[in-house]
Amino acid sequence: MPPGRLLDIGAQKGEFLWYMQQSGWQVEGIELDNQVPNPAGLPIRYGNFLEMELEEAQYDVVTLWAVLEHVYDPVAFVAKARKLLKPGGRLIVLVTNLNSIQSRYYQLDDYPRHLTLFTKGAVGRLCQRVGLKLLRVHTGQEIFGGSLVGGLPYAVKRVFGYSESEARSEWRQFRDPDLFWCQWRGRDSFLIKLISRVDRAVSYPIEFALDRMGFGQILTFSAEFSDK
């Protein structure tokens, strides 16, 4: 799209706004957490988006990057965002995809921090409900990570004696990454290390295939507002 006026809801420190500003866009942001710093001094408003008085039909693009899954009323967020779009304007949203191996079996959908879980069908119904035309749905790892890496060593540990809680407690910690990737019951294991390397090698082509089939963990969609 040619540069225009852009609103980023959930702007955090303004990294995306800064990038788009360098590309010629007129940018504004809204951040729900007033404790987040704004190092570049960008035009970011702080507070509850749903309670803000904003002029309608002002933006060519409204974005929500990894925000909608965290709010209590995603329908209200999208409905208000639609009102802010000019005719022909685009809403672009990133959420996680419940219909993915990572969400279904790795439990990476981050609940309860993620209050609403999305599928391709759900975002289509959401857009229809608020009067947006869904243009494109895509799943992939390009913007945020949603890697399959870890499944093979987890499966091996479960098959050969680990309980689910034991395996996950080793996986989901940062104190000693080798505990999951290179060790068995707290001791170095050449076999587990080898399995982990095989896991990394085979995960990427599987991810690529799943993304192309629409089952990647990170789901982005774009929708258009038309007043016709």
Side-chain angles (χ1 to χ4, degrees):
M1 297 178 65
R5 191 174 180 189
L6 179 145
L7 175 68
D8 184 33
I9 303 169
Q12 280 285 302
K13 298 194 295 283
E15 300 95 328
F16 175 67
L17 291 176
W18 180 87
Y19 178 83
M20 295 301 287
Q21 188 179 65
Q22 306 310 302
S23 301
W25 287 76
Q26 180 183 350
V27 300
E28 299 171 44
I30 293 172
E31 173 52 44
L32 283 67
D33 183 356
N34 60 13
Q35 301 299 312
V36 177
N38 183 358
L42 291 159
I44 300 175
R45 297 178 59 175
Y46 297 88
N48 187 334
F49 169 63
L50 295 180
E51 295 178 356
M52 291 181 179
E53 294 186 8
L54 301 165
E55 191 173 354
E56 297 182 0
Q58 290 299 303
Y59 299 98
D60 299 287
V61 174
V62 175
T63 55
L64 287 144
W65 301 116
V67 172
L68 208 57
E69 63 269 35
H70 293 280
V71 303
Y72 288 104
D73 193 345
V75 176
F77 261 69
V78 174
K80 184 166 183 175
R82 181 195 66 76
K83 293 179 181 180
L84 302 178
L85 288 170
K86 299 176 182 178
R90 299 281 181 88
L91 176 73
I92 302 174
V93 179
L94 182 147
V95 292
T96 50
N97 177 21
L98 180 62
N99 285 338
S100 64
I101 290 176
Q102 295 96 323
S103 294
R104 293 284 187 176
Y105 301 106
Y106 289 14
Q107 298 181 14
L108 295 183
D109 220 330
D110 206 13
Y111 47 84
R113 290 199 326 125
H114 287 184
L115 304 172
T116 304
L117 306 180
F118 293 89
T119 65
K120 292 172 69 175
V123 300
R125 292 189 293 272
L126 173 60
C127 290
Q128 185 178 37
R129 182 172 175 179
V130 302
L132 287 167
K133 178 184 178 182
L134 185 64
L135 299 177
R136 183 169 183 257
V137 181
H138 171 74
T139 71
Q141 325 302 325
E142 301 91 343
I143 300 176
F144 286 105
S147 176
L148 280 173
V149 171
L152 186 56
Y154 173 79
V156 169
K157 290 188 175 188
R158 291 284 286 120
V159 168
F160 291 99
Y162 273 68
S163 68
E164 180 179 354
S165 61
E166 287 173 334
R168 291 197 183 280
S169 66
E170 286 190 355
W171 197 353
R172 297 185 175 185
Q173 53 82 38
F174 300 97
R175 175 180 52 84
D176 181 10
D178 284 349
L179 187 64
F180 178 70
W181 300 106
C182 302
Q183 297 181 13
W184 179 269
R185 302 293 184 186
R187 295 185 177 184
D188 289 345
S189 168
F190 175 77
L191 181 60
I192 293 298
K193 188 174 183 178
L194 180 62
I195 290 170
S196 296
R197 288 180 174 178
V198 172
D199 175 65
R200 291 175 186 272
V202 302
S203 292
Y204 295 118
I206 296 174
E207 279 181 12
F208 182 84
L210 289 172
D211 288 347
R212 294 304 178 270
M213 293 187 292
F215 295 105
Q217 190 195 12
I218 307 303
L219 186 156
T220 54
F221 68 91
S222 60
E224 184 179 61
F225 169 59
S226 174
D227 61 351
K228 297 180 180 179

